[in-house]
Amino acid sequence: QDLGMDVKRVAQFVKKTTADVWVVCSGSRPVLEWFAAQPVPAFALFGSPAGMRIAGMAPRKNPALGVAVRRLADLGHRRIVMLVREERLKPYPARFEQAFLDELTASGIAIGPYNLPHWEDTRGGFHRCLDTLFTHTPPTALIISEPMLFHAAKDHLARRGLVAPENVSLICDDPDLTFGWCEPAISHMAWDHRPIVRRILQWTKNVASGRRDHRQSFTLTKFVEGGTIGPAPKAR
């Protein structure tokens, strides 16, 4: 992210950095495609490497996402927005984000750019996006990528007098240790990190012994309902 998911900048960084293998965390498709084409072995930790000759592992979030969206729909939510970084939406929504749109459609909710807004990847850009969303047709529920962005959104909305779940329901699509210290408890998607660690270690051993390993796998994810979701607030 510090390199802006810019393939040229990533290539320059790799060129001047001595490494036997690379573990690419949450790389965009263009970045992962570049690594897949290089002679140095690379492992896609998260991201969207489907269809590429590159090893990888990620949590399979779609089932948990489906549970979360259906739960929100059952609670009366119709204006549900997902906030993710822009690389997840270019050149088209990644599989997880498309699954979100599909789940909304399956719940009878009309979809459009409103549900997956683009925003400038800066603190100011993120806050402006939130301010715009809550100016005219405020969402009743937000699904937010990354704990860092979740806490930033929760804090910014609180400054506007908007708290969960009374004014807006909040879900994070990742787990975080800080969630256990929050009141109310944070609704989120959780998984066991240990299978991912074991898979990376096994891949490293395979590479070290000269065995080709391009296998892509997943770990199971579940939706953990906390106190940050509730019935959709009545229209103002």
Side-chain angles (χ1 to χ4, degrees):
Q1 290 174 351
D2 289 347
L3 297 172
M5 294 295 174
D6 184 292
V7 174
K8 291 184 178 180
R9 294 180 65 190
V10 170
Q12 291 172 352
F13 178 81
V14 171
K15 185 177 180 179
K16 66 181 182 182
T17 305
T18 302
D20 297 316
V21 298
W22 289 87
V23 176
V24 187
C25 186
S26 301
S28 66
R29 282 197 67 84
V31 167
L32 292 179
E33 288 171 348
W34 183 84
F35 272 103
Q38 305 309 307
V40 178
F43 186 98
L45 175 59
F46 314 130
S48 301
M52 304 179 199
R53 287 182 58 79
I54 183 173
M57 190 168 186
R60 190 184 293 279
K61 294 182 181 180
N62 290 13
L65 174 65
V67 173
V69 171
R70 291 191 293 273
R71 176 62 173 145
L72 290 173
D74 289 343
L75 290 168
H77 293 273
R78 288 295 179 268
R79 298 195 301 273
I80 306 172
V81 171
M82 177 180 281
L83 293 174
V84 299
R85 294 186 187 269
E86 194 169 29
E87 66 259 16
R88 299 288 305 175
L89 305 177
K90 288 184 174 181
Y92 45 80
R95 290 188 175 188
F96 180 68
E97 287 71 22
Q98 184 59 52
F100 166 65
L101 297 177
D102 294 342
E103 288 290 347
L104 292 181
T105 300
S107 295
I109 300 173
I111 62 173
Y114 170 84
N115 304 104
L116 277 173
H118 289 251
W119 48 278
E120 181 187 353
D121 194 0
T122 63
R123 181 179 62 181
F126 187 58
H127 290 169
R128 284 191 295 273
C129 176
L130 288 168
D131 289 339
T132 298
L133 283 171
F134 283 88
T135 297
H136 299 296
T137 312
T140 61
L142 292 177
I143 300 175
I144 305 169
S145 174
E146 303 175 30
M148 180 180 73
L149 295 181
F150 180 89
H151 285 303
K154 187 169 179 283
D155 177 72
H156 187 72
L157 293 176
R159 290 176 180 274
R160 293 181 52 123
L162 301 170
V163 296
E166 292 83 359
N167 307 114
V168 60
S169 288
L170 299 177
I171 296 173
C172 185
D173 74 357
D174 282 319
D176 191 76
L177 291 175
T178 61
F179 292 168
W181 290 83
C182 294
E183 181 62 39
I186 305 300
S187 300
H188 64 281
M189 298 173 199
W191 66 88
D192 186 352
H193 70 278
R194 289 172 294 182
I196 297 178
V197 174
R198 289 196 296 267
R199 172 69 183 112
I200 294 176
L201 292 175
Q202 184 59 53
W203 171 77
T204 305
K205 291 179 181 178
N206 290 341
V207 171
S209 61
R211 293 195 295 270
R212 292 187 178 185
D213 184 351
H214 296 139
R215 182 169 62 90
Q216 297 175 10
S217 55
F218 300 90
T219 185
L220 296 178
T221 304
K222 63 179 180 179
F223 174 58
V224 179
E225 181 172 341
T228 54
I229 69 171
K234 295 180 179 180
R236 291 179 291 183

